Amino acid sequence: MTDSRIPADLPDHIQHYIDGAFVDSVDGDTFDVLDPVTNQTYTTAAAGKKADIELAVAAATRAFNEGPWPRMLPRERSRVLHRIADIVESRDARLAELESYDSGLPITQALGQARRAAENFRFFADLIVAQSDDAFKVPGKQMNYVNRKPIGVAGLITPWNTPFMLESWKLGPALATGNTVVLKPAEFTPLSASLWAGIFEEAGLPKGVFNLVNGLGEDAGDALVKHPDVPLISFTGESRTGQIIFGNAAPFLKGLSMELGGKSPAVVFADADLEAAVDATIFGVFSLNGERCTAGSRILVERSIYEEFVERYAAQAKRVKVGYPHDPATEVGALVHPEHYDKVMSYVEIGKREGRLVAGGGRPEGFEAGNFVAPTVFADVSPDARIFQEEIFGPVVAITPFDSDEEALSLANNTKYGLAAYIWTNDLKRAHNFAQSVEAGMVWLNSNNVRDLRTPFGGVKASGLGHEGGYRSIDFYTDQQSVHITLAAHSHNPTFGKN
C-alpha cells in the first residue's frame, strides 16, 4: 500500500551539481536524510568536503573569468531570471510537496514559500534593468560616476527552515549582478535544493555559473568559507555559527552578509486592537512550526490587559491545528530533525520551571512518533529566564507583563539579539518613538511580518552583520568603482620637480 503523504518519484540519492553535471563526492561519502514525521532515512546525499568545494569553486571561477554571464547586458540576465521565476511558479505544487516532506513544514505554508521564491527572482530581474548608478558633476571641472562590477564567486550557505525560498533570496541577487555561485544548502533539508540545477539549465543559465555542494557545515561549509577564491560569503543561520564564519573569513578579508538568530519582542499596549494582536502574535510564533528567525517569541503585554491577553492567547494556541505536513488543514507540522526536536523539548522542560504553563508543554495527542511539539505558551516569564533570553526556534512562546512604556522598552531590548520587533498600539507618537528606540533591524507596527523586498533585511547586535534586500543586495554583490574625469581645459595638478 502506498503512503499518500510520500511524494512520487523521490530520489534514491542526492548528488552535488558541479560545472553543469551531477556528481558524487570525490571520496564517495554520503549522509542520511530523514523524514521528520517518522525520523526514518528516506534517501542519502553526497557528503561534500574540501575536495568537492575546490572543484565547485574552480568551475565557478572559470565561468566568471571566461564565460558569458558576467559580461551579459543586465537585460539579458534579466530574461534568464524571469524564465527561472516562470519555471518555479509553474512547479510550485511539486516544490511545496517536496519541501513539506523534507522539512516538516505544513504544505500550505510551503506552497507560499515556493511562490515567494519565484517573486525573489522576478524582483531582482526587474531591479537590475531599472538600476541607476550615481553620477556627480563639478561644472566645468570634473565628472565622476560609479561603475558597478560583479565581484566573483559568491559562497551561499543556507538554513533548513524554508530552505528553497531562502536559497532564492541569495541566488536571485547574486546571479542578477553577474556573479557565479557555490551553494551549500543545509544538511537536514537537501531535497528542494537539488531542483535548482534543472530549473537553471532549462532557463538557460550558462554552465558553471551555479554549483551546489551538499554536506555538513563543519566540512563543506567550512571549506567554502576558507577558500581563498571565494571573496563573498552570505550566510543565514544561528549566531554561534556566524561567529565561527566571521573568524574563519577574517584572514581573507571576505565580504560578509550574515542574517543570524533572533528573540524578537512583540509589544502589546493596552490601547491595541486586542483581537488583531492575538491573531498576529499567534501566527508570528507558530507559523513555519516556530522555526523562523523573525518569530515574535517574547510577547510583552501591558499589565492592565495582561490576564485577558494570556487567557485569550492560551485558548487560541490550544486550537492551533497540529497535523501531518501534507494535510492542507495543518497549521503546525513536524520539526525538521530529531536533534532539533530534542533541543526544543529541552527548552519546554526548562520553561516549566521558569514560567506558568498555560498551553501545550509536550507532544500533541495522537502523535507518538516523529518531531511533533504542541504549541506551547508560558506566562509570567521573568526577563532573566532562559526561555526569555535564548532562541528556541520552535513553537514555544514566553509572555511577560510590563507597567510602563519605559519598562516595555527595557524588556524589549534586554537580549543579545536584535533582529525584529512588533509593536501593537493605536498611539501614533508612541508607535514611532518606540520603533525608533527599540534595538531591532526591522520593526512592524500593528502588523505581522509582511516583507517588502525593496527594504533592507537584517539585524543588529547578535542578529546579524550587514543587510540584504533591494539595493542593499546589489551593493553586497557588486564592487562600486568610482571613475573620475577631468573636464577643465588646463590641469590643476600640483607640479613637482619643475624648474
Side-chain angles (χ1 to χ4, degrees):
M1 181 175 172
T2 304
D3 188 338
S4 62
R5 69 178 189 83
I6 300 177
D9 303 320
L10 280 176
D12 296 325
H13 178 58
I14 297 171
Q15 295 178 293
H16 311 307
Y17 182 77
I18 298 174
D19 205 17
F22 287 100
V23 295
D24 280 320
S25 295
V26 170
D27 65 3
D29 199 7
T30 65
F31 62 90
D32 292 340
V33 186
L34 307 184
D35 160 15
V37 167
T38 65
N39 287 328
Q40 299 299 307
T41 299
Y42 76 86
T43 190
T44 60
K49 299 186 179 69
K50 183 178 180 182
D52 306 290
I53 290 292
E54 287 178 347
L55 290 174
V57 173
T61 302
R62 281 194 302 275
F64 185 79
N65 290 336
E66 303 168 17
W69 187 248
R71 283 156 279 282
M72 284 183 178
L73 292 172
R75 173 64 72 187
E76 294 174 317
R77 288 201 299 270
S78 175
R79 289 192 183 104
V80 175
L81 265 65
H82 273 296
R83 286 197 292 269
I84 292 167
D86 291 341
I87 295 167
V88 171
E89 279 184 347
S90 71
R91 298 177 190 170
D92 58 358
R94 174 64 172 171
L95 287 165
E97 181 185 38
L98 297 180
E99 189 90 307
S100 176
Y101 182 77
D102 195 31
S103 68
L105 287 176
I107 185 68
T108 52
Q109 295 170 41
L111 184 61
Q113 298 300 315
R115 291 169 179 166
R116 279 189 63 190
E119 180 58 27
N120 285 334
F121 274 92
R122 212 172 290 293
F123 174 83
F124 285 106
D126 291 339
L127 190 63
I128 56 165
V129 174
Q131 174 192 318
S132 61
D133 290 321
D134 293 326
F136 308 93
K137 295 183 289 185
V138 182
K141 294 186 177 181
Q142 194 175 39
M143 175 72 183
N144 314 286
Y145 68 89
V146 176
N147 178 39
R148 287 183 182 269
K149 301 192 292 185
I151 296 174
V153 179
L156 313 178
I157 304 175
T158 53
W160 43 256
N161 62 319
T162 65
F164 192 81
M165 190 282 289
L166 288 173
E167 288 152 10
S168 75
W169 206 335
K170 300 180 188 298
L171 287 165
L175 295 174
T177 47
N179 298 283
T180 59
V181 303
V182 177
L183 170 66
K184 206 298 281 184
E187 58 265 30
F188 287 173
T189 53
L191 183 59
S192 60
S194 68
L195 301 178
W196 283 118
I199 292 169
F200 289 154
E201 284 184 9
E202 189 173 333
L205 192 71
K207 186 177 83 167
V209 172
F210 169 76
N211 303 273
L212 182 153
V213 178
N214 294 295
L216 306 184
E218 54 267 35
D219 295 327
D222 186 66
L224 185 58
V225 169
K226 293 177 178 175
H227 199 294
D229 296 331
V230 179
L232 292 175
I233 297 290
S234 178
F235 169 75
T236 299
E238 64 178 3
S239 298
R240 177 61 191 138
T241 307
Q243 291 175 313
I244 295 169
I245 290 173
F246 194 109
N248 288 338
F252 305 97
L253 299 176
K254 293 176 186 271
L256 289 176
S257 177
M258 297 198 290
E259 193 259 285
L260 307 176
K263 192 71 177 177
S264 301
V267 185
V268 183
F269 289 93
D271 65 342
D273 180 332
L274 194 57
E275 183 176 358
V278 169
D279 279 347
T281 51
I282 286 276
F283 181 83
V285 76
F286 297 133
S287 58
L288 306 180
N289 298 343
E291 297 165 328
R292 56 186 305 166
C293 51
T294 54
S297 53
R298 293 182 298 137
I299 304 178
L300 313 176
V301 183
E302 194 163 1
R303 195 175 299 275
S304 63
I305 60 166
Y306 179 76
E307 290 302 332
E308 181 185 0
F309 182 94
V310 169
E311 182 179 342
R312 291 173 65 167
Y313 193 95
Q316 191 159 330
K318 291 173 184 176
R319 295 193 296 269
V320 171
K321 168 105 175 122
V322 180
Y324 291 110
H326 73 290
D327 183 349
T330 293
E331 294 170 326
V332 171
L335 299 187
V336 66
H337 192 275
E339 287 179 19
H340 186 59
Y341 170 84
D342 289 343
K343 174 195 168 185
V344 171
M345 288 302 293
S346 73
Y347 275 106
V348 170
E349 294 307 308
I350 291 167
K352 291 175 182 177
R353 302 190 297 271
E354 292 185 332
R356 171 165 59 101
L357 180 66
V358 294
R363 277 191 178 276
E365 189 176 343
F367 295 91
E368 280 66 46
N371 306 321
F372 293 93
V373 177
T376 297
V377 183
F378 292 104
D380 310 341
V381 178
S382 169
D384 60 0
R386 288 184 64 187
I387 62 168
F388 187 97
Q389 292 289 335
E390 299 175 18
E391 184 177 41
I392 300 173
F393 219 64
V396 182
V397 66
I399 309 180
T400 301
F402 66 85
D403 290 299
S404 66
D405 290 28
E406 292 75 20
E407 184 184 11
L409 182 63
S410 176
L411 289 171
N413 291 339
N414 183 25
T415 71
K416 68 179 181 179
Y417 298 105
L419 188 57
Y422 307 88
I423 301 165
W424 290 87
T425 178
N426 282 312
D427 182 325
L428 187 63
K429 288 183 179 178
R430 169 197 278 154
H432 288 290
N433 287 328
F434 199 100
Q436 292 172 30
S437 299
V438 72
E439 294 168 352
M442 298 166 288
V443 182
W444 280 269
L445 302 178
N446 298 320
S447 166
N448 197 9
N449 181 340
V450 180
R451 282 281 290 124
D452 183 328
L453 294 178
R454 296 169 297 182
T455 60
F457 187 100
V460 298
K461 301 196 292 189
S463 286
L465 176 72
H467 289 81
E468 295 189 33
Y471 281 110
R472 277 73 176 184
S473 292
I474 303 296
D475 287 343
F476 177 69
Y477 289 106
T478 57
D479 279 327
Q480 297 180 56
Q481 179 190 59
S482 297
V483 180
H484 306 276
I485 307 110
T486 297
L487 301 178
H490 303 286
S491 171
H492 296 286
N493 291 333
T495 302
F496 280 17
K498 188 173 181 180
N499 293 331

